[in-house]
């Protein structure tokens, strides 16, 4: 099996979480399998998540944690994200990281557009895996909400900058899982990490 360069972002803003546990299970297994891994923990990242009044022509300079994150996105071949589903979307701090870090000239090229006027993605040749925790089972997420969060992440964020395909693994219900369930979920994350899938 060939090894891959992997960036992992635990996208839960809390210092302790099921998402962090899943991210660490994936990370440890990937490292043990010989993959190169760079790990980022949203709860430890320091940055202003508000884009503010600046436009793309006067964007805020990236803080050190965001600069490291973007550099590792550029380096990686495979992107792994853990996120909880909160109010049908991702946590505000995670959205703020994307707002601030995914900038033109670095992740997409507004000077090179398609026939539809879309900027050229600059992070092509990478794949993604999202490990998502929620209380909403996957079937209800699809039937009642049209997989909105999955479409946003795979098409409007990761896909927009060239990272695709994005595959999802859902863990639900996640608020009060039994210890045996958490163990099974960690084993699933570890299996994915070993394969860099």
């Amino acid at each position: 099996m060939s090894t891959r360069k992997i960036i992992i972002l635990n996208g839960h803003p809390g210092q302790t979480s099921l998402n962090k546990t899943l991210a660490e299970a994936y990370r440890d297994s990937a490292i043990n399998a010989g993959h190169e891994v760079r790990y980022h923990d949203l709860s430890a990242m320091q940055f202003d998540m508000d884009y503010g009044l600046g436009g793309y022509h006067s964007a805020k300079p990236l803080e050190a944690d965001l600069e490291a994150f973007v550099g590792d996105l550029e380096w990686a071949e495979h992107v792994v994200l853990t996120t909880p589903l909160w109010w049908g979307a991702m946590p505000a701090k995670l959205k703020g990281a994307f707002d601030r870090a995914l900038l033109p000239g670095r992740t997409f090229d507004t000077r090179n557009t398609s026939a539809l006027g879309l900027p050229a993605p600059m992070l092509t040749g990478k794949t993604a895996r999202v490990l998502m925790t929620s209380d909403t089972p996957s079937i209800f997420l699809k039937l009642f909400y049209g997989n909105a969060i999955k479409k946003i992440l795979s098409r409007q964020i990761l896909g927009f900058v060239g990272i695709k395909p994005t595959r999802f693994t859902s863990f639900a219900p996640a608020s009060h899982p039994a210890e045996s369930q958490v163990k099974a979920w960690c084993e699933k994350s570890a299996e994915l990490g070993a394969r860099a899938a």
Side-chain angles (χ1 to χ4, degrees), residues 25-103:
Y26 188 107
R27 177 197 64 194
D28 294 346
S29 181
I31 290 171
N32 288 339
H35 303 291
E36 294 182 65
V37 177
R38 296 183 183 175
Y39 179 79
H40 296 261
D41 186 343
L42 187 68
S43 71
M45 293 170 68
Q46 300 294 316
F47 61 92
D48 180 0
M49 65 184 194
D50 185 0
Y51 193 82
L53 299 176
Y56 282 150
H57 297 293
S58 58
K60 296 177 187 177
L62 293 182
E63 294 89 343
D65 286 336
L66 289 182
E67 184 61 47
F69 174 61
V70 177
D72 287 347
L73 277 177
E74 293 169 329
W75 163 87
E77 299 168 324
H78 187 55
V79 179
V80 178
L81 169 69
T82 67
T83 182
L85 179 69
W86 285 358
W87 293 108
M90 67 195 82
K93 188 174 181 181
L94 178 57
K95 180 60 165 57
F98 290 140
D99 288 347
R100 291 287 317 286
L102 302 181
L103 297 174

Side-chain angles (χ1 to χ4, degrees), residues 102-168:
L102 302 181
L103 297 174
R106 193 80 183 265
T107 62
F108 59 95
D109 186 358
T110 57
R111 296 166 300 180
N112 179 13
T113 58
S114 69
L116 296 175
L118 295 173
M122 297 176 69
L123 298 180
T124 57
K126 306 171 191 298
T127 56
R129 168 74 60 179
V130 176
L131 306 176
M132 187 171 66
T133 60
S134 70
D135 282 332
T136 306
S138 293
I139 187 66
F140 293 134
L141 200 62
K142 179 179 181 179
L143 292 177
F144 296 113
Y145 303 112
N147 279 332
I149 182 62
K150 294 182 179 182
K151 291 175 183 175
I152 290 168
L153 281 169
S154 65
R155 299 179 191 176
Q156 296 176 279
I157 297 178
L158 299 175
F160 187 84
V161 298
I163 302 169
K164 57 186 176 182
T166 296
R167 295 182 173 88
F168 290 83

